Each structure stands twice: as C-alpha cells, then as structure tokens.
Amino acid sequence: MPLYEFTAPCHFGMEAVLKREIINLGYEIVRVEDGRVSFRGEASAIARANVFLRTAERVLLCVGRFKAYSFDELFEKTKALPWEEYLPSDGRFWVKKASTTKSKLFSSSDIQSIVKKAIVERLKQTYRIEWFKEDGAIYPLRVFIYKDEVTIALDTSGESLHKRGYRKLISKAPVSETLAAAILLLSPWNKDRILVDPFCGSGTFPIEAAMIGANIAPGMNREFTAEAWKNILPMKDWYEAVTEANDLIRDDIDMDIQGYDIDGDIVKNARQNAVDAGVEHLIHLQQRPVSALSHPKKYGFVITNPPYGERLEEREALPGLYREIGEAFRRLDSWSCFVLTSYDQAEKYIGRKADKNRKIYNGMIKTYLYEFMGPRPPRRKKQED
C-alpha cells in the first residue's frame, strides 16, 4: 500500500498535544511546525484521522512540497506534480485558500490562480482532453508558503473538524471544540478526577471532557469531503473507522463532570448540546454563579473560559468577577485551575500568579491560558494480595 503525507493544522501552542494524538493512532510524525503537524500513513489514515483526532482543525493530504521564488517556478513545479494520481478527469477542484508568510510570493489571489492553471495544464496532457466537465466529486486545495517553501494539499475534511455536530446552540464568544479538547488533554485531568467549569456557556469543556472520558471519537457523527474520493480510498475505510470508534466507546463509566452558568437559558442550551453529543448522562449542568462555586472533594480541576469583557461596559465588571473567581479558587485550595481569557489583569484580581501562562489564539482573539496547579493527590495504596 502506498504511503501518503498528511498535514494537520492545530491551534498555536497545541502542537505537542496533536503530535501525541497522531502517534497514538499509530502514524509516523514527519515534522512539527508552528500550528501544524505532518505525518505519514496509508490512504485509510484519511478516514481514521478525521474520525479520531480531537485537536486538529482539518486533515490535509499533501500532494507536493517544493521551493519557489517566482510565479514561473510556482507554475512549473506545481505542473510537475502527479495530479492524475489524486484528481479524476471529472473532479471539481479549486484552490480554496492560499497563505504566504516571509516569502517572495505574497499575492494570495495570484498564487491561487497560477496553481489552478498549472494543475489544469498537467491534467490536459495526462487525460488528453482540452475541457473538463468538473461535475464529479469536489477536491478543494490549500496552498501554504512559508519562507519560500510551498506546500500544496487537498482538504479531506471539508468543514473544520471543530464542528463535531453537537453544538447547534452556542453562547457568546465560545471556546472551540478543538481548543477545549486540546486544553483538557494538555492538563493533568483524567476521567477519574472531578472537573468543574463555572462558566460553561455552550457546555464545550464538560462535553469534550465527557467524550474524552468515554472514549467517544469526535468525528463519528459528521460527514467529510473525502468520503466521495473513491479514486483514493474506498467507502469501506470510512465504515471501518467508524466501527473501530464504536468498539472503543466506554459509555458506562462513572465521571464527576459539572458545568455551571449564571444564565439559565444558556444552561438549557448546554443541556441540549450534551444530549446531541450523547453525553448528557455523564454531565451535571446547573444554573449557578461563580461565587457559589464549592465542592466537598479534593484534588479536582476547574477548567474554564470566563468572560473576556470585549465590550467596554462588560470590561468594567471584570475586576469584580475575577476577584470572585480568586475567592472560589481559594476555597478549593487542593484543586488545579486552568483559566482561558484575554483579560490581561486576570492574575492581579484572582490574587495569585499562575504557575504557567501560555499564549493561545481563540479564533482571532489573543488569549492566555493561566495554569494554577494544586498539589498532587496522594498515591493510592496497592491492594495486598
């Protein structure tokens, strides 16, 4: 079976989490760059990566990588790639996106046009036809140029992988599903530890945690562009990936995952999202302000995305809100707390310097993940035989 190279974009700063996911799926890492991880696998990796990866934004099938310092060079080297191995004569293909950084070629629209023309010229020669109907399956392309190195890839996912299909009802400024999963996997939290999100909004952190704990693959209930690519992988590969995912689900586990929000309507929406994700029985969602946050058990986790105060009138309320967050944390003195926010005064009003601070982009908003680590729980004594 031939091996292909794939590239999976992710949130900046979360490359190590995605790399670990890919290795756990059994694939060889090719390279790790800012915001993306490349790996090698057979065609079936298209299905398995799309179904299983929690922290990737999409899965791209790399057709070629080369250096180009001029548009002529871009045209000729694109044309030299074996496009007939990827695109059938009736395939509908276009360059959906072109991005360029620190490179001689900087016009995205020109890059898109030249790459498309080069592919057409190659396919004209190969298929010996002058005009393409383009009435078959769609094959969207993406081009990345970084320091004059061009990567051309087919987008196998279609809609971004953060669209799991369960979040039809969303709150304002939600954290994306892929970023929530990445933060959970980055933290020391596991399904045996208590998890509370006091600003649960759409319920993304609790729902993603429940899916991780129950081993529910994030892409099981959605469609992907590459399902129509019969020339590259048969439909049975998709069926096998979903069957594999179904066999791995552990839906009868006992977890303590809670989500609160001060807005009752938001909580109702979160409950419906949990139902749509199939994890409502694993999560407790309740209307409650952060000032009422408490828990009798020790060594739990607060992982949350509190309000940022993007509007001026909301920003004036942030010092009081973050003081309440700090007071709640102090009541949970054995817990670990992870706070994702763009509010740069968060540590000041929480009243404690974070043990670690990571810069992360939530969409186009620059945010910080403040990590306040609690003590490790004592090791459980091994039962004597």
Side-chain angles (χ1 to χ4, degrees):
M1 296 289 286
L3 289 178
Y4 297 90
E5 185 176 322
F6 303 94
T7 293
C10 65
H11 285 273
F12 283 96
M14 295 299 175
E15 298 86 0
V17 180
L18 176 55
K19 177 184 175 182
R20 188 167 69 238
E21 278 201 281
I22 292 168
I23 290 170
N24 288 341
L25 276 180
Y27 300 118
E28 175 194 354
I29 301 296
V30 174
R31 59 163 77 179
V32 178
E33 303 164 279
D34 287 346
R36 62 174 57 100
V37 180
S38 298
F39 62 100
R40 198 172 280 119
E42 296 178 353
S44 59
I46 296 172
R48 294 186 71 239
N50 274 298
V51 169
F52 283 101
L53 291 179
R54 299 183 189 279
T55 62
E57 292 301 306
R58 57 186 67 249
V59 178
L60 306 174
L61 171 57
C62 295
V63 178
R65 186 179 279 126
F66 53 81
K67 289 276 189 177
Y69 303 94
S70 68
F71 285 123
D72 284 343
E73 204 170 5
L74 175 65
F75 181 90
E76 293 300 333
K77 289 187 176 180
T78 299
K79 184 182 172 184
L81 296 173
W83 289 104
E84 62 278 4
E85 295 177 11
Y86 299 89
L87 302 173
S89 59
D90 65 346
R92 286 181 286 160
F93 64 93
W94 71 101
V95 181
K96 188 169 186 177
K97 184 177 181 181
S99 62
T100 174
T101 309
K102 299 179 181 177
S103 300
K104 299 277 193 306
L105 305 179
F106 54 84
S107 169
S108 294
S109 59
D110 287 339
I111 292 165
Q112 288 173 286
S113 175
I114 287 165
V115 168
K116 169 82 176 186
K117 286 177 183 175
I119 298 170
V120 169
E121 286 304 310
R122 170 79 184 206
L123 295 180
K124 277 183 180 180
Q125 293 175 6
T126 305
Y127 292 123
R128 301 186 183 282
I129 52 177
E130 286 298 314
W131 183 75
F132 296 89
K133 289 183 178 180
E134 294 195 71
D135 57 359
I138 63 171
Y139 293 79
L141 288 147
R142 289 179 179 251
V143 180
F144 307 95
I145 306 181
Y146 179 67
K147 291 184 177 178
D148 302 308
E149 183 180 69
V150 181
T151 301
I152 306 180
L154 286 162
D155 181 358
T156 74
S157 302
E159 280 198 306
S160 172
L161 295 182
H162 80 264
K163 296 188 176 181
R164 319 285 206 215
Y166 68 75
R167 201 169 72 171
K168 300 175 183 70
L169 302 166
I170 62 173
S171 60
K172 189 175 66 175
V175 62
S176 75
E177 295 89 324
T178 46
L179 180 54
I183 290 170
L184 288 160
L185 293 172
L186 181 72
S187 77
W189 175 82
N190 64 64
K191 67 181 185 301
D192 299 322
R193 306 280 289 273
I194 307 154
L195 176 66
V196 177
D197 179 359
F199 299 95
C200 72
S202 305
T204 310
F205 274 123
I207 291 170
E208 289 294 322
M211 291 176 70
I212 290 169
N215 213 17
I216 299 171
M220 287 181 63
N221 298 309
R222 54 158 286 175
E223 296 177 344
F224 305 97
T225 295
E227 288 179 48
W229 297 358
K230 305 298 192 299
N231 60 314
I232 296 177
L233 75 163
M235 200 64 201
K236 75 175 182 63
D237 284 353
W238 294 97
Y239 294 139
E240 287 173 1
V242 173
T243 299
E244 179 187 357
N246 267 311
D247 291 344
L248 292 171
I249 294 174
R250 297 294 175 262
D251 206 23
D252 57 349
I253 61 171
D254 184 26
M255 290 189 287
D256 190 346
I257 299 174
Q258 303 175 25
Y260 309 139
D261 202 283
I262 198 168
D263 187 327
D265 290 333
I266 291 292
V267 173
K268 286 179 185 176
N269 289 350
R271 286 195 185 113
Q272 185 58 53
N273 289 340
V275 169
D276 292 341
V279 296
E280 73 279 4
H281 60 296
L282 300 172
I283 301 172
H284 174 70
L285 297 165
Q286 182 181 347
Q287 183 179 1
R288 184 190 289 189
V290 68
S291 58
L293 176 59
S294 64
H295 203 289
K297 293 182 181 177
K298 292 187 171 185
Y299 308 113
F301 280 81
V302 170
I303 300 182
T304 192
N305 179 39
Y308 299 169
E310 292 303 305
R311 292 190 305 206
L312 183 61
E313 62 271 24
E314 294 172 341
R315 199 166 183 83
E316 291 171 355
L318 291 186
L321 177 65
Y322 280 78
R323 283 194 191 97
E324 287 185 345
I325 293 172
E327 289 165 7
F329 286 0
R330 284 187 284 279
R331 290 193 296 273
L332 300 168
D333 58 355
S334 68
W335 285 43
S336 296
C337 304
F338 286 64
V339 180
L340 180 70
T341 179
S342 67
Y343 185 43
D344 56 8
Q345 299 293 306
E347 289 173 302
K348 175 183 175 181
Y349 291 109
I350 286 172
R352 176 180 164 187
K353 185 171 176 57
D355 297 292
K356 188 172 283 189
N357 176 7
R358 299 173 189 265
K359 184 165 68 176
I360 296 171
Y361 279 87
N362 183 13
M364 297 302 292
I365 302 171
K366 184 171 73 172
T367 62
Y368 302 91
L369 180 62
Y370 295 103
E371 302 177 19
F372 303 92
M373 299 304 300
R376 289 185 179 182
R379 290 186 178 181
R380 294 177 182 176
K381 292 181 180 180
K382 291 183 180 179
Q383 291 184 344
E384 294 182 5
D385 294 335

